[in-house]
Amino acid sequence: LRQAQDILFRGMWWCKWRQAMLSIVSGDYQPEESAVNLREFAENLVRGRPHVSFEAPRAAVQMDPVAWNIVLENALSNALRHACPRDPQVHVQVSVDQGLRAAPCTTITVDPARHVVLRVLVRNRAKATRPKLSVWRSGC
């Protein structure tokens, strides 16, 4: 039953993502920021994916969850596609950069007037036959 629920959940999100992507391409997309609990966000992102684990703080931040889901869905699908087929070990790590700390069972609400930096790291166990990647850095 849980697997069926996960499939339905992912299907409903795909419909939202598809609509958002179409509006982005057409130039009609209007970002909708809301307070998002990062832990719940990450749980939903990896839901129904048995080879994906995650770490995320219980912090609520202002962000556009649909736009973030589009970007992170792409990162996750690439990590799974280019991972070791037998044991991909994909891991998503979400962190908030502004000196915010949360105890394991508490939720931090970030002041919407303050800017925070969200860092998302997606790692996988790469295929052994893939050539090593070179390090790339932006000019920032």
Side-chain angles (χ1 to χ4, degrees):
L1 181 61
R2 178 64 183 190
Q3 187 177 9
Q5 290 173 329
D6 290 345
I7 290 169
L8 286 172
F9 178 84
R10 297 213 50 78
M12 289 186 310
W13 266 107
W14 268 105
C15 289
K16 285 184 181 181
W17 293 330
R18 183 176 179 271
Q19 279 184 292
M21 285 187 277
L22 289 172
S23 64
I24 288 170
V25 169
S26 69
D28 297 329
Y29 184 74
Q30 297 296 318
E32 293 183 25
E33 287 191 357
S34 61
V36 176
N37 181 306
L38 293 177
R39 183 147 185 98
E40 290 174 12
F41 177 80
E43 284 175 358
N44 289 334
L45 184 67
V46 304
R47 186 173 174 182
R49 294 178 164 146
H51 297 292
V52 181
S53 61
F54 75 94
E55 295 174 54
R58 293 182 186 276
V61 298
Q62 286 291 122
M63 64 183 226
D64 181 349
V66 175
W68 272 88
N69 267 301
I70 290 169
V71 171
L72 295 177
E73 180 64 34
N74 183 54
L76 271 180
S77 63
N78 285 340
L80 287 164
R81 181 179 305 118
H82 299 294
C84 177
R86 291 179 309 283
D87 188 16
Q89 297 179 14
V90 175
H91 184 74
V92 178
Q93 181 180 358
V94 181
S95 61
V96 179
D97 196 8
Q98 232 195 28
L100 300 171
R101 301 280 184 256
C105 295
T106 61
T107 300
I108 294 175
T109 302
V110 177
D111 178 358
R114 288 178 33 197
H115 287 15
V116 297
V117 175
L118 288 180
R119 297 187 191 280
V120 180
L121 174 64
V122 179
R123 293 183 303 220
N124 68 353
R125 180 174 177 216
K127 292 179 188 174
T129 57
R130 289 190 62 83
K132 287 210 175 258
L133 297 175
S134 59
V135 176
W136 178 85
R137 298 195 191 286
S138 70
C140 300

